[in-house]
């Protein structure tokens, strides 16, 4: 009987140690070093990227009020100056910031009317289908050369998207009401050969609501 009890205690200790290790937050340089040693942890990498790379640098995101008119008048300049991409294909990514009024809410997205240098323009903020590499690649701060395996590189995107679902979407959905003033940061994926300004979808990474002169923020604050 005593042996069984001791064995259970040992097993429980091992499981708890493993769990604590799996949820620990590690510095990005350590995570990268472990990746080189074949011990890559995409959850830790994504969390460190979110806290120490993405959030502190959102102030440098391109203003939608400027980007939308530029995409309309001179798309080549807009892509050359503000977009990022991994290769030489047509798919590009923008990290943007904007503010406007919520005009419509449905189960998959929120439509916001944004004031630009030329007038008002609707954009869609995704609230349901969060997938792809938009945030990872729009940030310009995750280098594929740092990864020995493509799977690890792709798993980073999956974990970043999971953080959005956990950190951003609940507050966005709960607080949104038609007529609210909203500020937001997020990523846009766009084909430079098929620019469609009537269908701009933003993957949000930080959102704020102005209610009775009080800013209520969620994600990354």
């Amino acid at each position: 009987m005593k042996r069984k009890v001791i064995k259970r205690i040992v097993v429980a200790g091992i499981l708890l140690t493993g769990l604590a290790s799996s949820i620990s937050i590690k510095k990005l340089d350590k995570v990268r070093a472990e990746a080189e040693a074949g011990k890559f942890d995409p959850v830790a990498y994504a969390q460190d990227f979110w806290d120490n790379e993405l959030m502190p640098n959102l102030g440098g995101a391109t203003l939608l009020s400027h980007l939308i008119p530029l995409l309309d008048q001179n798309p080549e300049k807009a892509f050359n100056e503000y977009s990022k991409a991994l290769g030489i294909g047509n798919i590009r990514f923008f990290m943007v910031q904007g503010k406007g009024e919520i005009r419509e809410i449905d189960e998959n997205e929120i439509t916001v009317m944004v004031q630009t240098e030329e007038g008002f323009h609707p954009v869609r903020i995704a609230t349901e289908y969060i997938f792809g590499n938009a945030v990872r690649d729009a940030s310009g701060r995750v280098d594929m050369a740092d990864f020995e395996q493509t799977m690890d590189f792709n798993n980073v995107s999956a974990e970043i998207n999971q953080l959005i679902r956990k950190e951003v979407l609940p507050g966005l959905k709960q607080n949104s009401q038609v007529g609210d003033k909203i500020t937001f940061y997020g990523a846009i994926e766009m084909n430079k050969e098929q620019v469609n300004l009537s269908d701009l979808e933003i993957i949000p990474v930080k959102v704020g609501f102005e209610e009775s002169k009080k800013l209520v923020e969620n994600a990354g604050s």
Side-chain angles (χ1 to χ4, degrees):
M1 177 66 71
K2 289 184 178 180
R3 288 185 178 180
K4 288 184 178 180
V5 172
I6 294 173
K7 184 177 180 181
R8 289 174 180 173
I9 293 173
V10 171
V11 171
I14 292 173
L15 290 174
L16 288 172
T17 301
L19 178 60
S21 175
S22 68
I23 63 175
S24 63
I25 304 303
K26 306 171 185 177
K27 290 299 181 183
L28 198 54
D29 56 354
K30 184 176 181 180
V31 174
R32 287 172 174 166
E34 290 183 347
E36 294 177 358
K39 301 177 182 178
F40 183 67
D41 184 347
V43 176
Y45 187 107
Q47 186 70 62
D48 193 272
F49 161 80
W50 185 274
D51 293 336
N52 300 309
E53 298 283 345
L54 182 63
M55 291 297 149
N57 292 286
L58 286 178
T62 305
L63 289 168
L64 272 177
S65 58
H66 172 66
L67 181 63
I68 291 173
L70 188 60
L71 282 167
D72 182 41
Q73 299 169 10
N74 192 341
E76 183 176 0
K77 182 178 180 181
F79 279 95
N80 288 340
E81 293 189 2
Y82 298 112
S83 73
K84 292 181 175 63
L86 292 179
I88 58 175
N90 291 329
I91 302 300
R92 295 287 188 271
F93 302 92
F94 298 87
M95 188 63 69
V96 300
Q97 58 178 302
K99 59 182 179 179
E101 181 179 301
I102 295 177
R103 292 295 180 86
E104 185 178 350
I105 300 172
D106 67 28
E107 60 183 358
N108 299 323
E109 63 193 23
I110 294 173
T111 300
V112 178
M113 191 64 70
V114 176
Q115 186 169 8
T116 74
E117 295 170 356
E118 294 187 334
F120 291 90
H121 194 96
V123 300
R124 297 182 296 111
I125 299 178
T127 59
E128 185 65 29
Y129 299 110
I130 307 297
F131 57 89
N133 307 317
V135 173
R136 182 197 69 188
D137 295 346
S139 74
R141 295 178 179 275
V142 182
D143 190 346
M144 186 166 58
D146 291 336
F147 299 82
E148 292 187 355
Q149 300 184 42
T150 302
M151 180 181 295
D152 292 337
F153 187 56
N154 292 333
N155 284 340
V156 168
S157 277
E159 294 303 330
I160 291 171
N161 292 338
Q162 183 61 22
L163 283 171
I164 294 170
R165 297 185 191 101
K166 181 178 70 174
E167 302 289 343
V168 185
L169 298 189
L172 177 58
K173 292 179 178 181
Q174 181 179 355
N175 293 319
S176 292
Q177 296 183 31
V178 173
D180 281 350
K181 298 295 190 301
I182 186 173
T183 62
F184 57 87
Y185 298 82
I188 295 175
E189 177 179 338
M190 188 176 296
N191 187 324
K192 67 178 183 179
E193 297 298 326
Q194 300 175 10
V195 177
N196 183 0
L197 295 179
S198 65
D199 189 33
L200 289 180
E201 181 183 69
I202 298 165
I203 304 297
V205 297
K206 186 173 184 178
V207 178
F209 297 87
E210 187 176 350
E211 298 176 334
S212 301
K213 298 182 180 180
K214 181 177 70 173
L215 184 66
V216 180
E217 290 193 347
N218 55 72
S221 57

